[in-house]
Amino acid sequence: MTDLSKKEQLYALIRANPFIAQNELATELNLSRSAVANYIATLVRERRLLGRAYVLPSARPILCIGAANLDRKLRAAGPLAMGSSNPASAVESFGGVARNIAENLARMGAKVGLITAVGKDSSGSALLGHADGAGIDTHGALKLDDAASGTYTAVLDSDGQMVVALADMALYDRITPSFLDLRRQQRAGASLIVADLNLNREAIETLQIDAARDGVDLVIVAVSEPKMNRLPESLQGVRLLILNRGELAARLGRTLDSDDELAGACRELQAQGALDVVVTLGPRGVLFTTPGGVERLDAPPAQVVDVTGAGDAFSAAVCLSLQGASADLALACRRGLALATMTIACRETVCPNLTPETFGALI
């Protein structure tokens, strides 16, 4: 029996019983205690085991940090007339980039936690109650006596395309480095951290430094052009940055009219420290970095009902695909585009038809 097969047998035994003792492993595999210790050390170096108690990567949650707010969507019944009253239908739902990503992940069977800020009001109670019901761990949330829960109001045209959105999200500035320090153990125990740019710059910098120290991959998801100034100058510690064309242009302070210009901009962000970059292009698909440069994927044909939440669904599928240190960003983006296409065809911000089987069917 080869060394490799012995190591894989040991790994299988630990997966079956993470609390198995080293002497039991030695007896089961007819190995010395020192050989077992060497195999375990190798698996730890490979990040297939995570320290004491043989914690497996798959048992560690994806941790989403950022906004969880009440979404209000107003859809025009006909052509919009600016400066005038327009007939519309209204829908209220739970939203926020980090919360939306977390719900997508939970519905697809991932273990997921959410660190956010809510007011001690009916909206905050409803937000946390819904997240808990979806299987999201919210014990790390900040609950504020002196602030209202965040709101996001989107105006859609009759075709479901967003015309304008208004966001009241000042309370997320209360997620400070000192508060994040109180959640340090929770963050260090994550398999991957997803942070949105509703967080302030100091919080993002803290997440970068700590993720690099703890060996946890950090994904940053942009939320709007005006909030790109929250992204630190240095992107060291960022495994992946997900943003759209306008947000990328805002970061660099210039227009980006062609795919070649976008590709050059992605390389600039990598020079600033980001390992990889994904640029979403709406109906045109995505650009993403590769070891050899930058590639583009076309978006699948979509029946547009409501585009709200499509970007968050894309990010969720990408993050779930990358969990466990997978480097196949092309596959992750294909899965992301497939889930975004499903979401566009739904009126809900998070597609209600997602199940643990959904992720395996995404190609």
Side-chain angles (χ1 to χ4, degrees), residues 121-335:
D121 50 22
S122 58
S123 296
S125 297
L127 280 161
L128 295 183
H130 181 269
D132 291 338
I136 301 167
D137 178 4
T138 63
H139 82 269
L142 173 63
K143 301 171 186 176
L144 299 167
D145 288 310
D146 57 348
S149 296
T151 61
Y152 171 87
T153 303
V155 177
L156 312 177
D157 63 21
S158 57
D159 294 324
Q161 296 289 340
M162 186 176 70
V163 177
V164 68
L166 302 172
D168 178 8
M169 300 187 184
L171 82 165
Y172 302 121
D173 286 339
R174 305 278 287 275
I175 301 177
T176 61
S178 59
F179 170 74
L180 289 172
D181 281 345
L182 299 175
R183 303 292 185 265
R184 185 167 175 176
Q185 184 175 358
Q186 185 180 7
R187 293 185 289 117
S191 63
L192 182 145
I193 292 174
V194 190
D196 72 40
L197 286 183
N198 288 300
L199 302 175
N200 60 44
R201 179 183 285 223
E202 292 76 19
I204 295 293
E205 288 174 337
T206 297
L207 294 177
Q208 288 177 246
I209 293 168
D210 290 352
R213 180 200 62 224
D214 297 332
V216 178
D217 283 341
L218 173 64
V219 177
I220 295 179
V221 181
V223 300
S224 68
E225 293 177 33
K227 290 187 176 179
M228 288 304 295
N229 61 4
R230 296 177 172 227
L231 191 63
E233 292 301 315
S234 171
L235 300 179
Q236 291 295 327
V238 177
R239 164 67 180 88
L240 176 65
L241 176 61
I242 302 175
L243 71 178
N244 65 28
R245 178 198 295 266
E247 292 157 351
L248 179 56
R251 166 70 175 190
L252 298 177
R254 65 178 187 269
T255 59
L256 302 167
D257 297 322
S258 68
D259 283 358
D260 286 342
E261 289 176 330
L262 288 170
C266 289
R267 288 190 287 271
E268 287 184 50
L269 295 190
Q270 288 182 300
Q272 294 168 12
L275 181 62
D276 278 306
V277 180
V278 170
V279 184
T280 58
L281 304 172
R284 293 191 60 236
V286 297
L287 282 174
F288 61 96
T289 53
T290 70
V294 177
E295 296 182 8
R296 187 169 76 82
L297 287 172
D298 291 327
Q303 179 183 358
V304 178
V305 174
D306 186 340
V307 298
T308 308
D312 302 335
F314 173 86
S315 296
V318 168
C319 290
L320 187 54
S321 192
L322 293 179
Q323 184 186 28
S326 169
D328 194 344
L329 190 54
L331 174 60
C333 286
R334 285 197 297 272
R335 287 170 167 161

Side-chain angles (χ1 to χ4, degrees), residues 61-78:
I62 296 176
L63 183 61
C64 301
I65 307 178
N69 41 259
L70 202 61
D71 276 359
R72 298 184 178 97
K73 291 185 282 188
L74 302 171
R75 182 167 178 162

